[in-house]
Structure formats: C-alpha cells, structure tokens
Amino acid sequence: MAAKTNPGRFFEDYSIGQVIGHAVPRTVSGGERAMYHALYPARHALYSSDEFARACGLAASPLDDLIAFHVVFGKTVPDISLNAVANLGYAEGRFLKPVMPGDTLRSTSEVIGLKQNSNGKSGVVYVRSKGLNQRDEVVLDYVRWVMVRKNDLDAPAPEPVVPELAKVVDPGSLAVPEGLHFTRYDFGLSGEPHRMSDYEIGEIIDHVDGVTLEEAEHMMATRLWQNTAKVHFDATFRPDGQRLIYGGHIISLARALSFNGLANAQMIVGLNGGAHANPAFSGLTVKAWSEVLDKVETAAPGVGAIRLRLVAVKAGAEAGKLKGEDGKYLPEVLLDLDYWALMPL
C-alpha cells in the first residue's frame, strides 16, 4: 500500500538553495482581526479603527502585522518545522505592504543554511521565507532558523553553512505604507500622549500588566494560524508530556501588553532579530518590558521609526534584566524581540 500521508521533512531532507512552495493559500478577513483581538489584549488604534486609519492616510484599517506574520509562518510549518525540536530565532524581517481584509496570502521558503548538531540527532535549518498576496506582491520576508530532528541518524552530515545575517534592518530600507502620514494623528483616540521625541535611547519601559497562559487559548491560536508542529499539538511528543506554547503566541501577547507605555508604536515594519529564550507552558503568567534602542525619521510626514527591544518574561522578573554574567539568557526570560515600529515624531 502506497503511503499518502506526509511525515514532514527531517534535517537530512534539506539542501542549500532548495526552494519550497508552501500549501495552502489563505484568504484573510475581519474574522482574523476579531479572533486576534479576542486572543490578545490588542488595542493599537491603527489596527482597530477604519476611521483612525483614514485620518492617517490609509484607505482602511489593515490587519495587525502579526496576523500577516502568523499566517505566512503557519504556511511554512508543514515543510520546515513539522519535526522541529524548537524554533530558535529570526532576522532580516521586513513588513513591506499592509495586509487588508480580503487579501489572499501564500508562502515560499529558500534554504540558506544547514548545520548538524554535535549529537548527530538533529540540526539547524536556516530559511528565508516570503509571504505574497494575490497580486504576487511580497508583503513580508524574514529569515528564521529552527532545530529539526534527524530521521536517519546514519545520514551524513552536510557541509555546514551558516549565513551571515544583518544584526539590524537598515532603517533606510523600511517600507512606509503609501500615503501614511501622522500630521493629523489623534493622541486622544490612540490612548497615550507620548510621541517618538518623548522616548530616550536606552529607556526601559515596564509594561506592568500580565496575562496567564491558558491551554485553550494557545491551542486556539495554534489552530488559527494552522501551525501543525507536533510539539504544539501532541502532548506525547515531548518527554515531559507538555505541549509547548507556540512562540508566535508569546510574541503577540508581549506586543499587546506593550500597548501600556507604547500605544503609539503603531505599525511593525522591521524585525531585526528575535530569540525564544526559554520554553513556555500553560499556567505561566507572562509580563513584558521594552528598551528603546534607536530612533530615526522617515520621509513620510510626521512619521518616525523607533527601534524597540521587546522582552517577555515570567511574572516576578525584574524589568531590564536579560542575561546573566555568562552571557546566557536568564531562565525567566521567554522572548527577546528586536523590531522597528512607526510612531508619530
């Protein structure tokens, strides 16, 4: 009997330069927005109100940038990380076009790096993934690297290739949506009075609020984004019998928590780097803090780009504390995400 099911790719199934087109295209709608705002306390005004978005020069309110990220990411999972041990990091991410209700998204990935681990049981796969809309326009692209199990432990290790990745997306290459301006920005409606000039490089912002992770919510999110990685679905896949919280769930939760103190950091336009420092499981309470890393002006009227480090931590962790003296992430750190966002000057 011929096998028709897909066991997923293992580390030995990848090769440098391999290009993978991912199934299944997905048309997104206001339903994704409603579900996203139900799962996370997301309140950024540009993503919540058509009228607010129109006052800022857009035709209507786009879907949250992280909705686009999760949809595009989810498409890649069956081909890239179905047999993953862990998703390790991100770099060189650019959000190039807003995603609007009614757009259809699909994904492609190119293998740009491979390195087998010393234990011979797994290896790290580096891919550059792209999300395209129905007009074949690239709406976002990013690099991620993921640790993937080997199926055939005797398969020879590939020649190691580790790509050189930029530590920061050049702010000159950030894509500001056509027509966007903040000359009539309503700070009363946005929720806070703080503009980019009010923030200092090196400033630490404790976002104060916390959310306890629920098994039902993270499973709903994982299904919504069609992330089929076994570690998120199958409790028997890990020796400890726990389902690992999808890293994107932590990203969105931390971004939503950052509203308290960064309500005017509106559109995410660049993803400089990111690491899921420690695993998260249901029942854990997550809090967040941010550090201001840089600020630049853009060519769009009244629009600046602020570079932020967003850190998700376990409740009780001290804001501003990231790594120990050994240079390793502290055990209470869950996420370290470095990104550019657009903000009124």
Side-chain angles (χ1 to χ4, degrees), residues 170-319:
D170 180 355
S173 72
L174 298 175
V176 178
E178 184 178 354
L180 183 75
H181 65 84
F182 287 155
T183 58
R184 293 189 292 136
Y185 191 92
D186 191 322
F187 289 90
L189 294 179
S190 72
E192 288 180 352
H194 315 303
R195 58 179 71 236
M196 197 170 79
S197 58
D198 295 324
Y199 294 89
E200 298 294 332
I201 294 174
E203 181 178 353
I204 301 292
I205 303 154
D206 185 347
H207 299 301
V208 182
D209 306 310
V211 174
T212 301
L213 295 171
E214 298 281 351
E215 183 79 356
E217 290 177 352
H218 96 81
M219 286 310 305
M220 189 177 296
T222 306
R223 294 186 185 106
L224 176 64
W225 313 126
Q226 299 175 333
N227 183 333
T228 55
K230 296 173 184 177
V231 290
H232 304 317
F233 274 80
D234 186 350
T236 68
F237 196 70
R238 289 174 51 91
D240 59 11
Q242 297 186 88
R243 292 190 288 199
L244 186 68
I245 301 286
Y246 164 44
H249 191 63
I250 303 299
I251 292 174
S252 280
L253 192 58
R255 161 71 170 164
L257 290 172
S258 75
F259 178 88
N260 191 348
L262 285 168
N264 296 314
Q266 294 287 353
M267 307 189 81
I268 297 176
V269 288
L271 182 59
N272 300 306
H276 297 288
N278 287 289
F281 301 98
S282 178
L284 183 71
T285 297
V286 178
K287 304 190 81 171
W289 56 268
S290 292
E291 178 184 4
V292 180
L293 299 178
D294 201 359
K295 303 187 296 181
V296 297
E297 295 188 17
T298 76
V303 179
I306 186 167
R307 182 183 169 200
L308 298 163
R309 162 173 272 152
L310 174 61
V311 181
V313 296
K314 301 174 185 178
E318 183 180 349

Side-chain angles (χ1 to χ4, degrees), residues 25-324:
R26 180 167 174 178
T27 302
V28 292
S29 70
E32 271 79 9
R33 189 202 308 272
M35 183 61 74
Y36 187 86
H37 288 201
L39 287 168
Y40 313 106
R43 291 177 286 165
H44 287 88
L46 202 65
Y47 299 114
S48 300
S49 165
D50 284 342
E51 294 306 316
F52 190 96
R54 290 186 186 111
C56 294
L58 302 182
S61 175
L63 297 181
D64 294 67
D65 296 299
L66 291 177
I67 291 178
F69 177 79
H70 294 321
V71 171
V72 170
F73 183 102
K75 302 288 100 187
T76 72
V77 169
D79 299 307
I80 304 299
S81 48
L82 192 66
N83 294 301
V85 179
N87 191 50
L88 299 177
Y90 311 93
E92 296 186 356
R94 293 187 305 152
F95 293 76
L96 299 168
K97 285 186 175 295
V99 173
M100 308 300 290
D103 281 350
T104 297
L105 302 180
R106 60 183 177 87
S107 306
T108 65
S109 295
E110 179 183 0
V111 179
I112 61 171
L114 291 169
K115 186 176 187 298
Q116 182 166 300
N117 290 329
S118 58
N119 62 12
K121 297 179 180 180
S122 61
V124 180
V125 181
Y126 297 79
V127 296
R128 184 179 299 278
S129 296
K130 295 182 179 181
L132 301 98
N133 63 20
Q134 67 275 20
R135 295 177 292 275
D136 288 333
E137 299 167 332
V138 179
V139 299
L140 73 116
D141 63 22
Y142 61 94
V143 173
R144 73 161 167 142
W145 49 104
V146 58
M147 189 185 302
V148 180
R149 300 174 188 272
K150 288 186 74 173
N151 188 38
D152 178 5
L153 299 185
D154 294 325
E159 188 70 24
V161 175
V162 177
E164 292 187 13
L165 301 171
K167 292 184 179 180
V168 180
V169 175
D170 180 355
S173 72
L174 298 175
V176 178
E178 184 178 354
L180 183 75
H181 65 84
F182 287 155
T183 58
R184 293 189 292 136
Y185 191 92
D186 191 322
F187 289 90
L189 294 179
S190 72
E192 288 180 352
H194 315 303
R195 58 179 71 236
M196 197 170 79
S197 58
D198 295 324
Y199 294 89
E200 298 294 332
I201 294 174
E203 181 178 353
I204 301 292
I205 303 154
D206 185 347
H207 299 301
V208 182
D209 306 310
V211 174
T212 301
L213 295 171
E214 298 281 351
E215 183 79 356
E217 290 177 352
H218 96 81
M219 286 310 305
M220 189 177 296
T222 306
R223 294 186 185 106
L224 176 64
W225 313 126
Q226 299 175 333
N227 183 333
T228 55
K230 296 173 184 177
V231 290
H232 304 317
F233 274 80
D234 186 350
T236 68
F237 196 70
R238 289 174 51 91
D240 59 11
Q242 297 186 88
R243 292 190 288 199
L244 186 68
I245 301 286
Y246 164 44
H249 191 63
I250 303 299
I251 292 174
S252 280
L253 192 58
R255 161 71 170 164
L257 290 172
S258 75
F259 178 88
N260 191 348
L262 285 168
N264 296 314
Q266 294 287 353
M267 307 189 81
I268 297 176
V269 288
L271 182 59
N272 300 306
H276 297 288
N278 287 289
F281 301 98
S282 178
L284 183 71
T285 297
V286 178
K287 304 190 81 171
W289 56 268
S290 292
E291 178 184 4
V292 180
L293 299 178
D294 201 359
K295 303 187 296 181
V296 297
E297 295 188 17
T298 76
V303 179
I306 186 167
R307 182 183 169 200
L308 298 163
R309 162 173 272 152
L310 174 61
V311 181
V313 296
K314 301 174 185 178
E318 183 180 349
K321 300 294 185 182
L322 188 68
K323 296 181 179 180

